[in-house]
Amino acid sequence: MGTRKYTILPVTRVEGHGKVTIHMNEANEVTEARLHIVEFRGFERFILGRPYWEVPVIVQRLCGICPVSHHLAAAKAMDRIVGGEDLTPTAEKMRRLMHYGQMFQSHALHFFHLSSPDLLFGTDGTALSAFDAPPEMRNILAVAGKFPELAVQGVMMRKYGQEVIKATAGKKIHGTGAIPGGINKNLSIEERDFLLKDIDKMIEWSKSAVKIAKDFTLGHVEELLPFGSFDSNHLSLVRKSDGALDLYDGVLRAVDKDGNRIVDDVDYQRYLEVVSEEVRSWSYMKFPFIKKLGHEQGWYRVGPLARLNTASFIPTPLAENERKEFKAVTNGKPNNVTMCYHWARMIELLHSIEMIQELLHDSDLQGTDLVTSGPRREETVGVLEAPRGTLFHHYRVDKNDAVVMANLIVSTTNNNEPMNQAVKRVAKDHFTGKSNITENLLNRIEVAIRAYDPCLSCATHALGKMPLVVELYDAGNSLLDSKIRE
Amino acid sequence: MTKNKQTLTITIDGKKIAVEEGITILKAAEKAGIYIPHLCAYKDLIPHGSCRVCSVRVNGRIQASCVQTVSEGMVIESDTAELLEYRRMIVDMLFVEGNHFCMFCEKSGHCELQAMAYRFGITAPQFPYLNPNRDIDLSHPDVFLDHNRCILCGRCVRTSQELDHKNVFQFVNRGHKKRLEVNAKGLAETDLNVTDSVVNACPVGALMKKRVGYEVPIGNRPFDHASIGSEIEKTEGERK
Ligand code: SF4
Ligand code: NI
């Protein structure tokens, strides 16, 4: 019986802000650019010694934006502790419904609140370039002023996702739905009918969101193709049997920039055989990579773009049609364009709402067989595809039910090297020869990072702004300029 | 040889009630459909008078209603601004003295301390958190004791002795060093059994049955719809 300090978590204020440092040589060329994210690493220690069934609820404190992803990843892990990983149909479908609800609200939030100003004032001809809209236009209020209907849709879609979460987890944030081996409630007929009421509208709006992202992308191809782009590997879960896009469960698959499968059909219980994390002196956040390729070649992207690159198809008709159009742009090869995350994200938004619709019509959700168990285990891994990418939860639990080891690799950490690459590319393309940071340059850095939708600070995220500090250093390592975007 | 119990008259918050002699103010009030908030009083255990939440004014003097027995003509004040403030402060202090995180505690919605805070309209404590360093005893196969959430009400100590006829728990030290201990190296070494009454005696999430946390969905938990004490008050309504 050890002594555990039980302190209040500053986790809702985690990861205060992102900082970018750009380094120049004598000739004023960019030699290095780095994104520093202050990652909160105290969490694993915090759950040590706690009983395992608390973990799916506690881990939600990690994040104010995607608590459901952590809730479900931990629950999936704890299923195996109680030998209950073969969930009853009701339990698995309730959890999926919760997960698609989270995906839907998270993608809607990101699109309408964070990226729509970039996208809309680019497509609409207001700005000559996708990045040159003046600062006063680059916010959600400007969008609401010019496109009031769209702003309302954004709010309503997010709300819809939250209602799905409430119906499955008991509360819009920090609910308790998933428990080790199952779920604590089913979906009542009233809850189902309430959600069905608006489903057609949600599908229509999701289709138009895909169209906005697609039109923006195709309308600015020249400018977007190189912007913050680079070749990379891509990793995600895919459905075990057929490689379909599956956000809740599956096997690990990774493809290289040309689409060759470098990891395939790997049970995520063995993730440590596939993935390793590199520590770099200048960063608190680790850099994951595919072991067999080494840390120089093995880093990979996760999230919507990566998933459309790894998955063989999307198992819902509307999103699958959109996926085909998306793939046609790169002739079926992986898409390595940073700015294509937005389009991919909206295709997933559509897929999520299609899945919600399908599930709502499934009477298994009214089943009463909620929990299952089997032979006990002591070590376990839970993985799912969170809105921002693959999320790993790994635990060991002793015979007294206490958590004795926890290791989490969150989506944003998986995308650490890719975000650094994006920043480097933008810096090299746009900062060479500059000695100060203009508004426009700051925008570009911000737009590139935002494509990955990092969880830099959940609190400020929700307000629609990512606080960002950009610092420019000369060859002698003295600071030339520094700008803060709150 | 049974002595016939006499009936006495007392006044609680201006309401005259007939009560049977020998019972405590708390019980008398309860029978009359008046809820006096309390934490350490539990079932028919010998009253402890330690939490002081049930404090009332008896003929002008502050007393613990769970300990004090009734006498003829007593004038009792319970529902006053002063006493409410006093109770609020006590509940508030119980929160900051321990490590209570309602947002992820499995006792949420079942917890009397949390329910009382809601009833009193406490949203955030006015005192600074002490963040004490306390441990959790998970050694027993079916029951655990999380000292982080213990409010030292003694319900477990008395329930184990009086109802289970065991002696699993005891208090050690005094004042702010007072703490609950099990009469062995850990719960696993005591004769505690998961079917003992004590397993359901804790008002907070300190002494709990294992592996059942969060099984009741939000919305169906005891305090999701009914506030603490409303059972007692509802009875009164029905009597009217
Ligand atoms: S464990 Fe529970 S019942 Fe026992 S003293 Fe602590 S709070 Fe009271
Ligand atoms: Ni997050």
Side-chain angles (χ1 to χ4, degrees), chain B residues 95 109-120 223 226-228:
Chain B
F95 267 102
H110 307 259
C111 176
E112 294 177 29
L113 183 67
Q114 180 192 39
M116 208 157 284
Y118 278 132
R119 183 170 172 126
F120 295 166
F223 294 124
S227 73
I228 191 166

Side-chain angles (χ1 to χ4, degrees), chain B residues 24-89:
Chain B
T24 63
I25 297 171
L26 182 69
K27 292 263 179 205
E30 229 167 87
K31 286 192 174 172
I34 298 170
Y35 170 66
I36 302 176
H38 55 274
L39 282 169
C40 72
Y42 182 59
K43 295 193 171 168
D44 291 320
L45 299 183
I46 299 168
H48 195 222
S50 63
C51 77
R52 315 310 284 192
V53 171
C54 71
S55 295
V56 292
R57 275 195 186 275
V58 181
N59 300 334
R61 279 183 50 218
I62 291 198
Q63 309 225 312
S65 66
C66 72
V67 177
Q68 187 62 45
T69 49
V70 291
S71 61
E72 181 58 36
M74 257 184 182
V75 177
I76 296 149
E77 297 165 85
S78 171
D79 192 17
T80 66
E82 175 214 34
L83 288 168
L84 179 65
E85 187 49 38
Y86 186 58
R87 289 176 190 143
R88 220 186 235 145
M89 256 163 67

Side-chain angles (χ1 to χ4, degrees), chain A residues 1-9 46 49-54 57-58 61 169-171 174-176 179 184-185 376 399-402, chain B residues 99 101 103-104 106 129 131-141 144 146 148-149 185 209-218 221:
Chain A
M1 190 174 76
T3 297
R4 308 284 173 219
K5 184 132 172 82
Y6 202 93
T7 44
I8 191 138
L9 292 180
F46 180 78
R50 300 303 305 171
Y52 69 81
W53 56 89
E54 276 188 358
V57 180
I58 297 186
R61 314 306 296 182
K171 269 166 82 183
H174 304 138
T176 61
I179 54 178
N184 67 15
K185 75 186 288 286
R376 171 119 176 181
K399 63 175 191 350
N400 288 336
D401 300 326
Chain B
N99 297 306
F101 298 109
M103 60 283 209
F104 54 76
E106 62 185 277
Y129 286 104
N131 297 321
N133 198 345
R134 299 199 192 155
D135 51 28
I136 174 168
D137 180 348
L138 283 159
S139 63
H140 192 282
F144 73 99
D146 187 350
N148 289 288
R149 304 170 185 155
K185 264 180 70 194
K209 196 172 164 193
K210 280 186 166 184
R211 297 181 295 276
V212 293
Y214 316 103
E215 271 182 3
V216 183
I218 295 169
R221 303 169 307 181

Side-chain angles (χ1 to χ4, degrees), chain A residues 23-31 431-435 472-475 480:
Chain A
H23 304 264
M24 322 276 264
N25 64 11
E26 269 40 314
N28 260 356
E29 291 157 353
V30 172
T31 55
F431 277 72
T432 294
K434 306 274 177 15
S435 58
L472 190 60
Y473 291 90
D474 69 9
L480 287 172

